[in-house]
Amino acid sequence: MTDSLQDIARRLVAPGKGILAADESSSTIKKRFDGIALDSTADSRRDYREMLFSADTAMREHISGVILFDETIRQSARDGRSLVSLIEANGSIPGIKVDMGAKPLAFYPGETVTEGLDGLRERLVEYYKLGARFAKWRGVITIGANLPTPGALSANAHALARYAALCQENGIVPIVEPEVLMDNPNATHTIETCQKVTEATLEAVFDELEKARVDLTGMILKPNMVVPGKDSGQNAAPSEVAERTVAAFHATVPTSVPGIAFLSGGQSDVLATEHLSLINQLPNRPWKITFSYGRALQAAALKAWGGKPENVAAGQDAFLHRARMNGLAALGEWTAELERQAD
Ligand code: 13P
């Protein structure tokens, strides 16, 4: 029997689990590999993803779904099994990034709109056949002098809503990701501004989702946390980040949305974990709240692996530790003490 959108969405935010965002485009993964002086080739990208997806304990216990890039959903492990089947064998759900990236928005200097709607229906049909049961589309919102503009907010919200409707039409759960950046050049904005912009963004997104007739019970929201810009000089207490983030959701996110899975956005990995745990300790949370981290789940594993076959186990151990810490944070049970303990 085919799983309903609601079943898939619920599985993605199952207690103690979250999503691994491994959907770096070829140019982004090249930057990550540059950091460990590794050539980015189809084989090295495959080896890296195979190392992560075959980390059985981490995957089985803490990773509900994996977001893939187009190349990866078509690749096979060294033993010939598809990477998709590796993910499924660990009880995790394969997903796919379907947007084609943020491009400059005409007449809106400094702002972008995400492309990829043309032909999306046909691509979703193919991705479903390849095993994807959820998808991701990222809209990017930049804070700056007189930014964001209402025009850019509505263009991005509209694209996210059209994407989400096409996903649901094709049996795929949309992850709706409007990211208010914290790490753009000259990100001097305060946490107060981030909260205001995050609320305006989410309001625009849910307005467009409703107009597009998207079923909110069959989607996952992937937002940023409310944090100060990286160049603000402001040092927000983790408890303030947690409170402002949840306050932004109370103001804008309907309670029919089953789950919220954060991006990490440039936060350090441990801080992203601590924030998530504090958020899950606050009262009055009608949504399941978990992680959908890229960098904050992978940075330590990538470094420990270093592109060397003899380091696969070390990479997997580092991945397990972060996955475990974030799994605890999804339950509000992470502590600094547990963080320090080696697995
Ligand atoms: P980060 O957690 O590295 O921000 O990546 C998550 C993601 O999927 C961004 O689109």
Side-chain angles (χ1 to χ4, degrees), residues 88 172 235:
E88 290 170 340
I172 289 182
N235 232 333

mmCIF file of all heavy atoms in Angstrom, residues 88 172 235:
data_model
loop_
_atom_site.group_PDB
_atom_site.id
_atom_site.type_symbol
_atom_site.label_atom_id
_atom_site.label_comp_id
_atom_site.label_asym_id
_atom_site.label_seq_id
_atom_site.Cartn_x
_atom_site.Cartn_y
_atom_site.Cartn_z
ATOM 1 N N GLU A 88 17.238 3.035 2.466
ATOM 2 C CA GLU A 88 16.014 2.303 2.813
ATOM 3 C C GLU A 88 16.306 1.123 3.735
ATOM 4 O O GLU A 88 15.521 0.832 4.638
ATOM 5 C CB GLU A 88 15.330 1.811 1.532
ATOM 6 C CG GLU A 88 14.719 2.950 0.721
ATOM 7 C CD GLU A 88 14.255 2.513 -0.665
ATOM 8 O OE1 GLU A 88 14.727 1.455 -1.157
ATOM 9 O OE2 GLU A 88 13.441 3.232 -1.259
ATOM 10 N N ILE A 172 4.475 13.160 -3.023
ATOM 11 C CA ILE A 172 5.760 13.474 -2.395
ATOM 12 C C ILE A 172 5.552 14.566 -1.344
ATOM 13 O O ILE A 172 4.881 15.568 -1.614
ATOM 14 C CB ILE A 172 6.767 13.921 -3.479
ATOM 15 C CG1 ILE A 172 7.158 12.695 -4.319
ATOM 16 C CG2 ILE A 172 7.983 14.607 -2.892
ATOM 17 C CD1 ILE A 172 8.177 12.965 -5.407
ATOM 18 N N ASN A 235 25.852 38.630 20.969
ATOM 19 C CA ASN A 235 26.005 37.256 21.421
ATOM 20 C C ASN A 235 24.729 36.835 22.119
ATOM 21 O O ASN A 235 24.564 37.093 23.305
ATOM 22 C CB ASN A 235 27.189 37.176 22.397
ATOM 23 C CG ASN A 235 28.134 36.088 21.976
ATOM 24 O OD1 ASN A 235 27.723 35.104 21.335
ATOM 25 N ND2 ASN A 235 29.399 36.242 22.311
#
